[in-house]
Amino acid sequence: MKRITLVMNCPDQKGIIAAVTNYIHDNNGNIVYIDQYVDRVNTIFFMRVEFEIFIEEHSLENFKTDFNQSIGDPYQLKTDIYLNDQLPKMALFVSKYDHCLYDILSRYQSRELKVKIPFILSNHKDLMSIAERFDIPFYHIPVTKETKKEAEQEQLKLLKKQNVDFIVLARYMQIISSELIQYYPNKIINIHHSFLPAFPGAKPYHSAYDRGVKIIGATSHYVTEELDAGPIIEQNTTHVSHLNSIDDFISKGRDLERVVLSKALQLHVARKVMVYQNKTVIFS
Amino acid sequence: MKRITLVMNCPDQKGIIAAVTNYIHDNNGNIVYIDQYVDRVNTIFFMRVEFEIFIEEHSLENFKTDFNQSIGDPYQLKTDIYLNDQLPKMALFVSKYDHCLYDILSRYQSRELKVKIPFILSNHKDLMSIAERFDIPFYHIPVTKETKKEAEQEQLKLLKKQNVDFIVLARYMQIISSELIQYYPNKIINIHHSFLPAFPGAKPYHSAYDRGVKIIGATSHYVTEELDAGPIIEQNTTHVSHLNSIDDFISKGRDLERVVLSKALQLHVARKVMVYQNKTVIFS
Amino acid sequence: MKRITLVMNCPDQKGIIAAVTNYIHDNNGNIVYIDQYVDRVNTIFFMRVEFEIFIEEHSLENFKTDFNQSIGDPYQLKTDIYLNDQLPKMALFVSKYDHCLYDILSRYQSRELKVKIPFILSNHKDLMSIAERFDIPFYHIPVTKETKKEAEQEQLKLLKKQNVDFIVLARYMQIISSELIQYYPNKIINIHHSFLPAFPGAKPYHSAYDRGVKIIGATSHYVTEELDAGPIIEQNTTHVSHLNSIDDFISKGRDLERVVLSKALQLHVARKVMVYQNKTVIFS
Amino acid sequence: MKRITLVMNCPDQKGIIAAVTNYIHDNNGNIVYIDQYVDRVNTIFFMRVEFEIFIEEHSLENFKTDFNQSIGDPYQLKTDIYLNDQLPKMALFVSKYDHCLYDILSRYQSRELKVKIPFILSNHKDLMSIAERFDIPFYHIPVTKETKKEAEQEQLKLLKKQNVDFIVLARYMQIISSELIQYYPNKIINIHHSFLPAFPGAKPYHSAYDRGVKIIGATSHYVTEELDAGPIIEQNTTHVSHLNSIDDFISKGRDLERVVLSKALQLHVARKVMVYQNKTVIFS
């Protein structure tokens, strides 16, 4: 008995829910979760189904092939099919800030966050001791203007070697190259420390302080070529006042960043995020 | 026995709190509220004091003069002194949207919002019947490109004639001219339907929808020459999802706008807002 | 072309989604919304479907009969079927507080709240003038210990005569009798001014103040025999501090009550609330 | 140059602010923060002042004595005076849940939480490895019905030996004895996983689930003899829906608990909490 997650979208059309659910029933699957959404403006249908089924791990490919022939092709489905007990491999990119790193590692250690972490990578050595504390390999790949290209090749080699499924930029302060982005489309998750689209780029807490805002925020999004403009997965805000210094903004912001990034990771890992037209559909 | 509110700022200096509180005690005043704040970066001291004192209404001017000579001048104070039982006169500018108008009038009617409303002014006739419902004079001053200048002169005449203290733009969809702003500096309160500085200008809900944000917001601020860039009084946000259409954004936003504008008005009316360097100090 | 809303629950079973959606397609209906939920503990299936269909208003009964024979009976469905353009009739019970009343009437007037309001009923005359302001019939039915029974008979007579669909207690300060509750099961909506189950009964803001809580709340729920213990539709909270007096609690609470009650009404009117085992399923 | 925090309350009386601030100025102190609050119902005055002053560490006692003679006695002040660079010693009591522990240790490690942690104490061995990971002494003191009294004596010995200033119950699942509470009055901080006063005692998430609430919460409070009834320091809530299982409640609750407890600790460590009549005054 395996639990399988099926995430799909297709042009909206009559009978699509019935077709998929009937297929699962006919293969003796038991649906334990179903959520769908229709974008009526663009007439796109989105669905996420979890079901239990008697299947051997090695015959998952056969299942996929048969499903695609029976349902996928006739209905023009774009489908992803996952075995729930196969934990995704998540690489962690960090720089010098440790709060998101600690938060992620704590949740990983408590099995609240169901991933494998093959390595932590940083352009600085500051957080090496934390990686050691949690027994996770740490790679120090410095990045300078001159060495940026080589550094990225080294990163890519490491990612491929470890068969990484997705990357988390846990306050990694470097801009990611096009090549890496194209290699991991909608699979690089960033945490930006403002409520985007306000205050993109560097030093958003300083800009927020200067503008005199009464709320600050954090945004987790997929990385695309345009800086801080990728599909938003999760956002949240908190109140600030004139009593708060920039240091207070940063400190309050850390709590937001932790919670927003962690929520985005949970959604991604549970395959509840679907990207469409630079936006996300978040299944319940 | 009168209750007086004193709002002040000055260069930060030793003994300023003692000087003011001693002055009040020496004049047999009883302090019932005191809040102060020091901007350490710019070394500015801000204070708001409420006190009860035996004074005739006609001798308030004497009190002001004496206070300014004894404390104001030596400490370089900028001071505003108000009699609490003198309700400020608030003019309402509206266009076609009625939700903020209804909300304000309800709070006004229930004496939750302690102001006088000499009139409601609009460039359209749509909301005239609401003004009538609440027995408030309604002036229809249409604004077109050609007549904008004349219309503003008419507005100004009306405002002066009624001795208006401050103006609320309750979703008034016109840009306010420099002249009016200079006549009412930090006394024109606007509600903008986004979490500024994101999505300034027209149609912020549409822009928010297109960007795929997971939160929307509203901002109440004083109107300055630069559009939607004045000192922020109050902001709030609420969550949205891919399930929400633009109409849902607008509908959820209405609730935010009501609450944010009403909160800003309460703060302004209670003289709890002090503007400094395009930001606000909000007393507790 | 009519838009119909179908709300249903039944024992969870294979093929139920397909059965319902196929039935609608076979009758040339076009599904524009579908949301379902399975309570896995009690194995109950809940679904809400909106669809467009060519049907005459007078043949809705035929449609219901046929649907029940084809799908309802074999699958043991409990079903409610509504024509979306038939606005429900909502009676308003009030006492002396006007903030929820004003809020509801404003939304009603703006067609944000899509109901008919046949009358406002109160045990006091205080809010009569508001009813007049909005041109809605007002009935004053005083309630004393001695006359409570008669008063309720009068209320019931009025409700029946006007064919009222549901009742809103917009801070109506009287306890509702069993008879009325049984006549309108899960159709009497109350707003209670605390985050239930904390502080049920009278004077919750005073109790909250005495306990020194840092948050206050409001809860909208269906009225059942046990006081303040019915199925919860919507709740929200806001922060308070030691700076806030009981009057501040009451004032902040008013904003919560307005928003929470209004949200509950919107959900009820859109037939998005389904009651099960003293809890609510809220469709998206 | 030392920074000193002075926290005080006294019967409200004229001239008290001036008396304290003048005293500090006369001793060449420079006030960098001042916040006061008057409970008008009980006519109690509360104040927290931070100031910089030239003073040797060993002459702090002289300062205290002189301050008490000059100001404390005449004004009936209850005063606490702290040197800001003396970090308080915080003992951590845990059981089997690790999320609050990880959160606290991460903030401690990052110097976000400015305390010394002499030891972690638990009635179970489950979290020993985390203590080791962070190089903090771990004491395993099992508690059974029979050994409860001895166990507490052992705890008390350890606390005294290490000169502990306050205790954090980071999901320590045991009830604290009167003796320990009397030894650390308003110095034992608990995190309870509900919005008190709703759902005190065991299994609040289960009770919340059964009641069908739409919000869950967490409360951090000082431990008093009555269970979960001590002065509340911080509370927060988050939304839940019928879609959430008890496990979801627990998981969402973990994030609340982390943030609420951490906020309470920050306030306590900064000496911003003052307890009065089973409530807290929280300075800004």
Side-chain angles (χ1 to χ4, degrees):
Chain A
M1 194 77 152
K2 294 282 176 194
R3 193 182 266 228
I4 284 175
T5 299
L6 165 70
V7 184
M8 47 163 276
N9 70 55
C10 64
D12 191 26
Q13 56 205 290
K14 285 196 182 180
I16 174 66
I17 297 179
V20 174
T21 56
N22 287 342
Y23 179 88
I24 294 168
H25 294 143
D26 293 348
N27 285 272
N28 293 310
N30 178 33
I31 293 176
V32 290
Y33 165 99
I34 183 166
D35 190 18
Q36 78 287 320
Y37 163 69
V38 182
D39 177 339
R40 307 227 168 259
V41 179
N42 299 296
T43 60
I44 308 288
F45 175 82
F46 300 86
M47 188 158 71
R48 182 179 176 280
V49 187
E50 272 183 69
F51 55 97
E52 291 164 342
I53 195 165
F54 284 100
I55 198 172
E56 300 295 321
E57 193 146 343
H58 65 263
S59 51
L60 182 66
E61 284 311 311
N62 291 344
F63 177 85
K64 285 185 188 178
T65 307
D66 187 66
F67 177 82
N68 281 331
Q69 278 172 1
S70 311
I71 310 288
D73 295 348
Y75 286 91
Q76 298 170 262
L77 257 57
K78 287 176 198 161
T79 314
D80 285 309
I81 292 177
Y82 306 95
L83 268 181
N84 281 20
D85 56 11
Q86 274 185 354
L87 301 191
K89 285 187 165 181
M90 173 178 104
L92 271 170
F93 282 32
V94 297
S95 231
K96 293 184 166 182
Y97 296 109
D98 61 6
H99 55 286
C100 284
L101 178 60
Y102 264 127
D103 189 69
I104 290 169
L105 294 182
S106 308
R107 292 170 196 265
Y108 160 73
Q109 200 66 39
S110 318
R111 295 172 185 276
E112 195 181 320
L113 186 62
K114 293 188 178 66
V115 295
K116 288 178 192 163
I117 302 183
F119 62 85
I120 297 169
L121 182 157
S122 181
N123 54 335
H124 295 287
K125 284 193 175 170
D126 304 55
L127 306 185
M128 185 157 56
S129 68
I130 300 178
E132 282 165 5
R133 231 180 252 282
F134 285 83
D135 303 318
I136 296 172
F138 181 90
Y139 294 93
H140 174 225
I141 303 181
V143 178
T144 63
K145 243 186 212 172
E146 294 73 31
T147 65
K148 194 165 167 57
K149 207 137 194 200
E150 290 164 58
E152 280 166 3
Q153 289 309 315
E154 217 177 322
Q155 291 171 1
L156 202 49
K157 223 171 97 187
L158 200 55
L159 291 162
K160 287 180 186 175
K161 191 181 156 201
Q162 291 288 352
N163 247 323
V164 160
D165 289 302
F166 71 105
I167 300 166
V168 178
L169 311 181
R171 298 296 309 273
Y172 179 66
M173 310 297 284
Q174 298 288 317
I175 290 178
I176 300 297
S177 72
S178 300
E179 195 185 346
L180 197 54
I181 293 170
Q182 278 159 28
Y183 207 85
Y184 286 98
N186 297 325
K187 289 185 171 171
I188 306 175
I189 297 175
N190 186 39
I191 177 73
H192 182 76
H193 38 316
S194 81
F195 47 86
L196 290 172
F199 311 123
K203 298 213 168 243
Y205 291 132
H206 289 74
S207 307
Y209 181 83
D210 290 342
R211 177 62 186 92
V213 293
K214 300 299 182 188
I215 47 172
I216 55 170
T219 305
S220 186
H221 63 94
Y222 290 114
V223 174
T224 55
E225 301 258 342
E226 194 181 337
L227 185 66
D228 296 330
I232 294 171
I233 308 169
E234 173 74 2
Q235 296 189 287
N236 218 334
T237 54
T238 198
H239 288 267
V240 291
S241 84
H242 66 279
L243 293 171
N244 296 123
S245 64
I246 291 184
D247 281 350
D248 294 335
F249 276 40
I250 291 170
S251 164
K252 280 172 160 249
R254 273 195 296 255
D255 275 343
L256 277 177
E257 294 164 36
R258 278 185 259 244
V259 170
V260 168
L261 178 55
S262 142
K263 180 75 188 298
L265 295 186
Q266 293 287 12
L267 290 170
H268 181 88
V269 168
R271 283 92 187 205
K272 295 200 162 179
V273 189
M274 196 149 209
V275 174
Y276 183 71
Q277 292 191 335
N278 206 45
K279 296 185 184 188
T280 59
V281 168
I282 308 284
F283 292 108
S284 64
Chain B
M1 196 75 153
K2 293 281 175 192
R3 193 181 266 227
I4 284 176
T5 299
L6 166 69
V7 184
M8 45 162 279
N9 70 55
C10 64
D12 191 26
Q13 55 204 291
K14 284 196 183 180
I16 174 65
I17 297 179
V20 174
T21 57
N22 287 342
Y23 179 88
I24 293 168
H25 295 141
D26 294 348
N27 284 272
N28 293 310
N30 178 34
I31 293 176
V32 289
Y33 166 98
I34 183 165
D35 191 18
Q36 78 287 318
Y37 163 69
V38 182
D39 177 338
R40 307 227 168 261
V41 179
N42 299 296
T43 60
I44 310 287
F45 175 83
F46 300 86
M47 188 157 72
R48 182 179 176 282
V49 187
E50 271 184 68
F51 56 97
E52 291 163 342
I53 195 164
F54 284 100
I55 199 172
E56 300 294 320
E57 192 148 343
H58 64 262
S59 50
L60 181 65
E61 284 311 311
N62 292 343
F63 176 85
K64 286 186 189 178
T65 307
D66 187 66
F67 177 81
N68 280 331
Q69 280 173 0
S70 310
I71 311 289
D73 295 347
Y75 287 91
Q76 299 171 262
L77 258 57
K78 287 176 198 162
T79 314
D80 285 309
I81 293 178
Y82 306 95
L83 268 180
N84 281 22
D85 56 12
Q86 274 187 352
L87 301 191
K89 284 187 165 182
M90 172 179 106
L92 271 171
F93 283 30
V94 298
S95 231
K96 293 183 167 185
Y97 295 110
D98 61 6
H99 55 286
C100 285
L101 178 60
Y102 265 127
D103 190 69
I104 291 169
L105 294 183
S106 308
R107 292 170 196 265
Y108 160 73
Q109 199 67 38
S110 320
R111 297 172 183 276
E112 194 181 321
L113 186 63
K114 294 189 177 66
V115 295
K116 288 178 192 161
I117 303 183
F119 62 85
I120 297 169
L121 182 157
S122 180
N123 54 336
H124 295 287
K125 285 192 174 171
D126 304 56
L127 308 185
M128 185 158 54
S129 68
I130 301 178
E132 283 164 5
R133 233 180 251 282
F134 285 84
D135 303 316
I136 296 173
F138 180 90
Y139 293 93
H140 175 225
I141 302 182
V143 178
T144 63
K145 242 185 211 171
E146 293 72 32
T147 66
K148 193 166 167 58
K149 206 137 194 198
E150 290 164 59
E152 280 166 4
Q153 288 309 315
E154 217 178 319
Q155 291 171 0
L156 202 49
K157 221 170 98 187
L158 200 55
L159 291 162
K160 287 179 187 176
K161 190 181 156 199
Q162 291 287 352
N163 247 322
V164 160
D165 290 301
F166 72 105
I167 300 166
V168 177
L169 310 181
R171 299 297 307 274
Y172 179 66
M173 310 297 283
Q174 297 289 318
I175 290 179
I176 300 297
S177 73
S178 300
E179 196 186 345
L180 197 54
I181 293 170
Q182 279 160 26
Y183 206 84
Y184 287 99
N186 297 325
K187 291 186 171 170
I188 307 174
I189 298 175
N190 186 39
I191 178 73
H192 182 75
H193 38 316
S194 81
F195 46 87
L196 291 172
F199 311 122
K203 297 211 169 246
Y205 291 131
H206 289 74
S207 307
Y209 181 82
D210 290 342
R211 176 63 186 90
V213 294
K214 300 300 183 189
I215 46 172
I216 56 170
T219 304
S220 186
H221 63 93
Y222 290 115
V223 174
T224 56
E225 302 259 340
E226 193 181 338
L227 184 66
D228 296 331
I232 294 171
I233 307 169
E234 173 76 2
Q235 294 189 288
N236 218 333
T237 54
T238 198
H239 287 268
V240 290
S241 85
H242 66 278
L243 293 171
N244 296 123
S245 64
I246 290 185
D247 281 349
D248 294 334
F249 277 40
I250 291 171
S251 164
K252 278 171 161 251
R254 272 196 297 254
D255 275 344
L256 276 177
E257 295 165 37
R258 276 186 261 245
V259 170
V260 167
L261 178 55
S262 143
K263 180 75 187 296
L265 295 186
Q266 293 287 13
L267 290 170
H268 181 87
V269 167
R271 285 91 186 204
K272 294 200 163 180
V273 188
M274 197 147 207
V275 173
Y276 184 70
Q277 292 191 334
N278 207 44
K279 296 184 184 187
T280 59
V281 168
I282 307 284
F283 292 107
S284 63
Chain C
M1 195 77 153
K2 294 281 176 193
R3 193 183 267 229
I4 285 175
T5 299
L6 165 69
V7 184
M8 46 162 278
N9 70 56
C10 64
D12 191 25
Q13 56 205 291
K14 285 196 182 180
I16 173 65
I17 297 179
V20 174
T21 56
N22 287 342
Y23 179 88
I24 293 168
H25 295 143
D26 294 348
N27 285 270
N28 294 309
N30 178 34
I31 293 176
V32 290
Y33 166 98
I34 184 166
D35 190 18
Q36 78 286 320
Y37 162 68
V38 182
D39 177 339
R40 306 228 167 259
V41 178
N42 299 295
T43 60
I44 309 288
F45 175 83
F46 299 86
M47 188 157 73
R48 182 179 177 281
V49 187
E50 271 184 68
F51 55 97
E52 291 164 342
I53 195 164
F54 284 100
I55 199 172
E56 300 295 319
E57 194 148 342
H58 64 264
S59 51
L60 181 65
E61 284 311 311
N62 291 343
F63 176 86
K64 285 186 188 178
T65 307
D66 187 66
F67 177 81
N68 281 331
Q69 279 172 3
S70 310
I71 312 288
D73 295 346
Y75 287 91
Q76 298 171 261
L77 256 58
K78 288 177 198 160
T79 313
D80 284 309
I81 293 177
Y82 306 95
L83 268 180
N84 281 21
D85 56 12
Q86 274 186 353
L87 302 191
K89 285 187 165 182
M90 172 178 106
L92 271 170
F93 283 31
V94 299
S95 231
K96 292 183 167 183
Y97 295 109
D98 62 6
H99 56 285
C100 284
L101 178 60
Y102 264 127
D103 189 69
I104 290 169
L105 294 183
S106 309
R107 292 170 197 265
Y108 160 73
Q109 199 67 37
S110 319
R111 296 171 183 276
E112 194 180 321
L113 185 63
K114 293 188 179 65
V115 295
K116 287 177 191 164
I117 302 184
F119 62 84
I120 297 169
L121 182 158
S122 180
N123 54 335
H124 295 286
K125 284 193 176 170
D126 304 56
L127 307 185
M128 184 158 56
S129 68
I130 301 179
E132 282 164 5
R133 232 180 253 282
F134 284 83
D135 303 316
I136 296 173
F138 180 91
Y139 294 93
H140 174 226
I141 303 181
V143 178
T144 63
K145 242 186 213 173
E146 293 72 32
T147 66
K148 194 165 167 60
K149 207 136 194 198
E150 290 164 58
E152 279 165 5
Q153 289 309 316
E154 218 179 320
Q155 290 171 2
L156 202 49
K157 222 170 97 187
L158 201 54
L159 291 162
K160 287 179 186 175
K161 191 181 153 200
Q162 292 287 351
N163 248 324
V164 160
D165 289 301
F166 71 106
I167 301 166
V168 178
L169 310 180
R171 298 297 307 274
Y172 179 67
M173 310 298 283
Q174 297 288 318
I175 291 179
I176 300 297
S177 72
S178 299
E179 195 186 346
L180 198 54
I181 294 170
Q182 278 159 28
Y183 205 85
Y184 287 98
N186 297 325
K187 290 186 172 170
I188 306 175
I189 297 175
N190 186 39
I191 178 72
H192 182 75
H193 37 316
S194 81
F195 46 88
L196 291 172
F199 310 124
K203 298 213 167 241
Y205 291 132
H206 289 74
S207 307
Y209 181 82
D210 290 342
R211 177 61 187 92
V213 294
K214 300 299 183 190
I215 46 172
I216 55 170
T219 304
S220 186
H221 63 94
Y222 290 115
V223 174
T224 55
E225 302 258 340
E226 194 181 338
L227 185 66
D228 296 331
I232 294 171
I233 308 169
E234 173 74 2
Q235 295 188 288
N236 217 335
T237 54
T238 198
H239 287 267
V240 291
S241 84
H242 66 279
L243 293 171
N244 297 123
S245 64
I246 290 185
D247 280 350
D248 294 334
F249 277 40
I250 292 171
S251 164
K252 279 172 161 250
R254 273 195 296 255
D255 275 343
L256 277 177
E257 294 165 35
R258 277 184 261 245
V259 171
V260 167
L261 178 55
S262 141
K263 180 76 187 297
L265 296 185
Q266 293 287 12
L267 290 169
H268 181 87
V269 168
R271 284 92 187 205
K272 294 201 162 178
V273 189
M274 198 149 207
V275 173
Y276 184 71
Q277 293 191 332
N278 207 44
K279 296 185 183 187
T280 59
V281 168
I282 308 283
F283 292 108
S284 64
Chain D
M1 195 75 151
K2 293 281 176 193
R3 193 182 266 226
I4 285 176
T5 299
L6 166 69
V7 184
M8 45 163 278
N9 69 56
C10 65
D12 191 26
Q13 55 206 289
K14 285 197 184 180
I16 174 66
I17 297 180
V20 174
T21 56
N22 287 342
Y23 179 89
I24 293 168
H25 294 142
D26 293 349
N27 284 271
N28 293 311
N30 178 34
I31 293 176
V32 290
Y33 166 99
I34 184 166
D35 191 18
Q36 79 287 319
Y37 163 69
V38 182
D39 177 339
R40 306 227 168 258
V41 179
N42 300 295
T43 61
I44 309 289
F45 175 82
F46 300 85
M47 188 157 74
R48 182 179 177 280
V49 188
E50 272 184 68
F51 55 97
E52 292 164 342
I53 196 164
F54 284 99
I55 199 172
E56 300 294 320
E57 194 147 343
H58 64 263
S59 51
L60 182 64
E61 285 311 311
N62 293 343
F63 177 86
K64 284 186 189 178
T65 308
D66 188 65
F67 177 81
N68 281 331
Q69 280 172 1
S70 311
I71 310 288
D73 296 347
Y75 286 92
Q76 299 171 262
L77 256 57
K78 286 176 199 162
T79 315
D80 285 309
I81 293 178
Y82 306 95
L83 269 180
N84 281 20
D85 56 11
Q86 275 185 352
L87 301 191
K89 285 187 165 183
M90 172 179 104
L92 271 171
F93 283 30
V94 297
S95 231
K96 293 184 167 183
Y97 295 109
D98 62 5
H99 56 285
C100 284
L101 178 60
Y102 264 127
D103 189 69
I104 291 169
L105 294 182
S106 308
R107 292 170 197 265
Y108 160 73
Q109 199 67 36
S110 320
R111 295 170 185 276
E112 195 181 322
L113 185 62
K114 293 189 178 65
V115 294
K116 289 178 191 162
I117 302 183
F119 62 85
I120 296 169
L121 182 157
S122 181
N123 54 334
H124 295 286
K125 285 193 173 170
D126 304 55
L127 307 185
M128 186 158 55
S129 68
I130 300 178
E132 282 164 5
R133 231 180 251 282
F134 284 84
D135 302 317
I136 296 173
F138 181 91
Y139 294 93
H140 174 226
I141 303 181
V143 178
T144 62
K145 242 185 212 174
E146 293 73 31
T147 66
K148 194 166 166 59
K149 206 135 194 200
E150 289 164 58
E152 280 166 4
Q153 289 309 316
E154 217 178 319
Q155 291 171 2
L156 202 49
K157 222 170 96 186
L158 200 56
L159 291 161
K160 288 180 186 176
K161 190 182 155 199
Q162 292 287 351
N163 247 323
V164 160
D165 289 302
F166 72 105
I167 301 166
V168 177
L169 311 181
R171 299 297 308 274
Y172 179 66
M173 310 298 283
Q174 298 288 318
I175 290 179
I176 300 297
S177 73
S178 299
E179 195 186 345
L180 198 54
I181 293 170
Q182 278 159 28
Y183 206 85
Y184 286 99
N186 297 324
K187 290 186 172 171
I188 307 175
I189 298 175
N190 186 40
I191 178 73
H192 182 75
H193 39 317
S194 81
F195 46 87
L196 291 172
F199 311 122
K203 296 210 170 247
Y205 290 131
H206 290 74
S207 307
Y209 181 83
D210 290 342
R211 177 62 186 91
V213 294
K214 299 299 183 189
I215 46 172
I216 55 170
T219 304
S220 186
H221 63 93
Y222 291 114
V223 174
T224 55
E225 301 260 339
E226 194 181 338
L227 184 66
D228 296 330
I232 294 170
I233 308 168
E234 172 76 0
Q235 296 189 286
N236 218 335
T237 53
T238 197
H239 288 267
V240 291
S241 84
H242 66 278
L243 292 171
N244 297 122
S245 64
I246 291 185
D247 281 350
D248 293 335
F249 276 40
I250 292 170
S251 165
K252 279 172 160 250
R254 273 195 297 254
D255 275 342
L256 277 177
E257 295 166 34
R258 277 185 260 245
V259 171
V260 168
L261 178 55
S262 142
K263 180 73 189 298
L265 296 186
Q266 293 287 12
L267 290 170
H268 181 88
V269 167
R271 284 90 186 208
K272 295 201 162 179
V273 189
M274 196 148 209
V275 174
Y276 185 70
Q277 293 192 331
N278 207 45
K279 295 186 185 187
T280 59
V281 168
I282 307 285
F283 292 108
S284 65

